[in-house]
Amino acid sequence: MADYYTPRGGLPPQTELTTDRAVFTQAYAVLPRGTMRDITTNRLPFWDETRLWTIARPLTGFAETFSQYIAEVGPGGGSDRPENNSEAESVLFVVDGELRLDLAGATHPLRAGSYVFLTPGEQWTLHNESAATATFHWIRKRYTPVDGLDAPESFVTHESDVEFGAMPGTDGAWCTQRFTDPDDVRHDMHVNIVTFEPGGAIPFPETHVMEHGLYVLEGKAVYLLNKDWVEVQEGDFMWLRAFCPQACYAGGPGRFRYLLYKDMHRHAPLSL
């Protein structure tokens, strides 16, 4: 079973050095895992025993299409009114603990590795009935409807049920687990897991219109962000605006994995 990095909050001692790897530029941002402390958490209405780290939100002139939370739900916590925006679609990805999802009249037990897609306007609830905290990523995007095209249905799966698709010519050193059909244009965002074996690489600077959020679930690597090679490790989050060049080299000793958001399958808007 995969072991996903999960933040625990806390506060460093007064003897700790302030210097860290956190950076925000015009092209990208890096939020190292050490930035996810008790004092950087937030609360939401109608969520009990729950705190969240907001690691991405739409910003004019930067990444504009999505928000991403890391939500920690204590025993007995959760929500009967989790979403207040009927236009929002969501992906939930559990990294620690156990949760109960009620969706469309069915109950789904969730555990680390569980993946949920929630179509806009879906009715759902989420609760922690265990004696330990549970943590999940919550990625939200305003769905972009297309006349004559239905919105995709909600679904629940687990990453262990999704095959590793090797990228061409990599002999399995670079793989992507795709939770939705890449040719299904009803979906206007993809949230996948990308895995590099030690020595695996993105061998060219990807430069494209899709915005990215990359949360490192496991391992470490050096990542090219615009013109900078940046060391990243499990628990770090990278936030890339459109057209930011990117590449990667995973030096090991273990595999390098991240949860990846990108916007997809829609015309570029012709006005700001």
Side-chain angles (χ1 to χ4, degrees), residues 20-248:
D20 199 5
R21 297 174 293 114
V23 62
F24 192 101
T25 75
Q26 291 185 337
Y28 70 88
V30 178
L31 279 66
R33 67 190 192 186
T35 64
M36 296 171 203
R37 301 294 186 173
D38 292 345
I39 62 173
T40 59
T41 59
N42 194 12
R43 306 278 176 174
L44 289 178
F46 312 118
W47 280 85
D48 297 325
E49 301 299 325
T50 300
R51 64 178 186 172
L52 308 95
W53 287 275
T54 302
I55 57 177
R57 54 162 290 181
L59 290 178
T60 301
F62 194 69
E64 300 180 343
T65 62
F66 77 108
S67 71
Q68 185 164 346
Y69 307 134
I70 305 174
E72 181 184 84
V73 185
S79 180
D80 290 323
R81 298 176 59 183
E83 177 61 74
N84 62 3
N85 187 336
S86 62
E87 297 180 339
E89 59 183 330
S90 295
V91 164
L92 314 180
F93 183 74
V94 181
V95 292
D96 186 53
E98 299 176 349
L99 293 160
R100 188 198 79 220
L101 171 73
D102 290 299
L103 171 67
T107 296
H108 301 272
L110 306 180
R111 67 188 195 280
S114 290
Y115 181 108
V116 182
F117 172 76
L118 298 162
T119 198
E122 186 67 271
Q123 299 298 306
W124 57 284
T125 66
L126 192 71
H127 293 91
N128 180 1
E129 299 176 325
S130 75
T133 59
T135 305
F136 68 96
H137 286 254
W138 183 3
I139 297 170
R140 300 167 67 242
K141 180 184 181 297
R142 186 186 298 274
Y143 184 68
T144 306
V146 176
D147 187 33
L149 195 66
D150 292 334
E153 302 86 5
S154 301
F155 66 85
V156 181
T157 187
H158 192 274
E159 78 122 311
S160 62
D161 297 324
V162 179
E163 67 178 8
F164 284 71
M167 300 298 283
T170 66
D171 196 26
W174 172 14
C175 294
T176 301
Q177 289 172 278
R178 294 181 172 88
F179 291 85
T180 58
D181 182 348
D183 296 324
D184 185 351
V185 297
R186 297 178 303 161
H187 287 275
D188 68 349
M189 72 170 179
H190 286 177
V191 179
N192 300 322
I193 295 178
V194 179
T195 300
F196 291 91
E197 297 297 331
I202 299 175
F204 70 102
E206 292 188 34
T207 309
H208 50 60
V209 70
M210 288 85 81
E211 298 176 347
H212 275 345
L214 298 88
Y215 180 85
V216 183
L217 297 167
E218 181 182 344
K220 64 177 184 174
V222 287
Y223 222 94
L224 176 66
L225 299 169
N226 200 12
K227 297 180 179 181
D228 306 317
W229 283 98
V230 178
E231 282 191 297
V232 292
Q233 64 179 351
E234 57 190 14
D236 291 351
F237 180 70
M238 292 170 277
W239 189 13
L240 283 63
R241 68 181 296 180
F243 300 110
C244 176
Q246 60 173 294
C248 172

